[in-house]
Structures are given as structure tokens and as C-alpha cells.
Amino acid sequence: GENVEQHPSTLSVQEGDSAVIKCTYSDSASNYFPWYKQELGKGPQLIIDIRSNVGEKKDQRIAVTLNKTAKHFSLHITETQPEDSAVYFCAASQWGSQGNLIFGKGTKLSVKP
Amino acid sequence: DTAVSQTPKYLVTQMGNDKSIKCEQNLGHDTMYWYKQDSKKFLKIMFSYNNKELIINETVPNRFSPKSPDKAHLNLHINSLELGDSAVYFCASSQGTGQDQPQHFGDGTRLSIL
């Protein structure tokens, strides 16, 4: 089955700097890769996603890149702000399921003012 | 308007009891899910369900059972609660069969077993 590894587990940056979180997946048949932001006491919130027919996607300060050959995908946040502080999860959609998501273990991002 | 809502938000109960968690979505989605988040924040799929198929993660004990009275609801019933069931349970939903469709999550139910 699918396995998703996520690094780093914690990341601390200064406000205005960029943050990068990296994930790898094991099943080459996976074709959908969302990123979620989870704030304390809340459910995961979808912030951006990418499908396997696309190499890069951008939405304002957030971008995601996908390398299908290497089975890597990454989240890039530019011009970080204190409100970006949260736990971020990458995920891969399990092939052959009803879109069951296999999550990475999360990255706790702290943005210091 | 809340898209995916779960009740209760907090549930504290004794070991051995039976409890249910309710989930409703007003997005018109066809597929619903239950995930478990443990104390280390690890999120794991438990079930996915649409009107045609229930997919159960093989690691989920049969004490857990999803029940869907209609397309907008997927409740989670747990029998004979154990200490290890303490976690946050999240409901989610997506369009169609769920494949490569964004999933929208509720805010979770924190279950604590005494």
C-alpha cells in the first residue's frame, strides 16, 4: 500500500522568510496530492492540491511542485506570516480506493515575528 | 454555514461503553470518510463510504462501524470502548467517487476514555 514520508517534523522561520516542506510517496499509481493546514482545535483545511498530470501549481504565496519520477512533492510558502504557523500535512490519494488519503506525519511550522 | 459538522465536539466516557459520533455534510457530496488522529497528530483513514461501496481500512477493529442513514450523513458507532480508542476523530467528504477530489474535513470529535 501507499506510504508517505514528510520532512521536517518541525520548522521555524522568521517572518518574511520562505518555508519548504518535502514529502515522498511509495505508490507510483497515486495521482492526487493535497496539502492541509491544521490549526489548534480545528480540522485539516485544504490549502492547495496537485494532480499527477501537472508539475507545479501556485496560489498566491503558496506553491506545490511534483516530481513523479522521483515520487517527491513539496510545499513552498513565501513571505511567511505569523498566521501561517500551524501543522501542515501532505497526503497522497490511495489508488483503487474512494480517494482515501494517506497522510504524512505532519510538519509543525512556527513563524517568528 | 458549516460544510462538514460533527457532534459532539468532546466525548468523555468509561471503558466498555458504546458511543456514537454524528457527521453531516451540506456540500452535496457523494463520498464520506472517517479518519482517526492519534496523540502524535498522525491522521489515518478508517472508512470511506458512498451509496455503492464501503471500504474499510483493514487495521480498524470491528468494534467500529459506520452507519449512513442518507447521503448527507455518516455516523460512527463504537462498541466496547477501549483506552486506545482515545483520539480525535475527523469526518470528511468529497464529490463523486472521491478519486482525486478535494476532501473537506469537520473540526473533529475528541474522544477520551477513562
Side-chain angles (χ1 to χ4, degrees):
Chain A
E2 177 65 276
N3 183 50
V4 177
E5 299 283 342
Q6 182 173 347
H7 299 280
S9 57
T10 59
L11 180 58
S12 182
V13 300
Q14 283 297 129
E15 183 177 0
D17 287 351
S18 294
V20 180
I21 302 170
K22 298 182 178 182
C23 289
T24 61
Y25 60 99
S26 61
D27 188 352
S28 56
S30 292
N31 63 351
Y32 175 65
F33 307 93
W35 285 88
Y36 285 86
K37 176 183 181 182
Q38 187 177 23
E39 296 174 324
L40 202 60
K42 297 287 188 181
Q45 179 188 5
L46 180 69
I47 55 172
I48 196 167
D49 57 10
I50 192 166
R51 291 174 176 78
S52 58
N53 58 347
V54 174
E56 184 173 358
K57 184 176 178 181
K58 192 172 181 180
D59 182 4
Q60 299 182 6
R61 296 186 297 109
I62 295 173
V64 57
T65 59
L66 172 65
N67 181 329
K68 282 195 301 181
T69 304
K71 292 187 278 188
H72 289 172
F73 58 114
S74 300
L75 178 71
H76 304 252
I77 306 174
T78 58
E79 301 171 25
T80 54
Q81 301 166 4
E83 50 266 39
D84 294 330
S85 297
V87 179
Y88 291 81
F89 292 95
C90 63
S93 181
Q94 189 177 25
W95 182 254
S97 71
Q98 294 179 122
N100 294 354
L101 293 177
I102 307 301
F103 282 88
K105 291 190 175 181
T107 297
K108 184 174 182 180
L109 174 64
S110 300
V111 180
K112 298 183 178 181
Chain B
D1 289 342
T2 304
V4 181
S5 58
Q6 298 178 225
T7 54
K9 189 171 177 66
Y10 300 97
L11 182 54
V12 181
T13 189
Q14 300 277 357
M15 201 165 51
N17 285 350
D18 302 338
K19 289 293 178 185
S20 292
I21 305 172
K22 294 184 177 181
C23 178
E24 176 182 5
Q25 54 94 5
N26 63 5
L27 297 167
H29 286 170
D30 298 296
T31 304
M32 296 183 72
Y33 310 81
W34 278 103
Y35 290 85
K36 179 181 180 180
Q37 187 171 46
D38 64 22
S39 59
K40 295 183 178 179
K41 298 283 190 184
F42 186 45
L43 275 160
K44 193 169 185 179
I45 182 71
M46 299 178 70
F47 305 99
S48 63
Y49 180 78
N50 65 26
N51 60 0
K52 296 180 180 178
E53 190 175 10
L54 169 67
I55 296 181
I56 303 171
N57 185 310
E58 61 188 13
T59 65
V60 175
N62 58 14
R63 298 181 294 104
F64 290 78
S65 56
K67 298 185 190 303
S68 180
D70 55 57
K71 198 174 85 165
H73 297 83
L74 184 66
N75 304 324
L76 182 64
H77 190 77
I78 316 168
N79 289 327
S80 304
L81 282 158
E82 300 178 357
L83 290 174
D85 298 333
S86 295
V88 182
Y89 293 85
F90 288 99
C91 177
S93 70
S94 65
Q95 277 186 327
T97 59
Q99 285 285 352
D100 80 350
Q101 294 297 314
Q103 292 184 23
H104 299 263
F105 282 74
D107 280 337
T109 295
R110 181 174 293 276
L111 174 63
S112 300
I113 310 300
L114 302 178

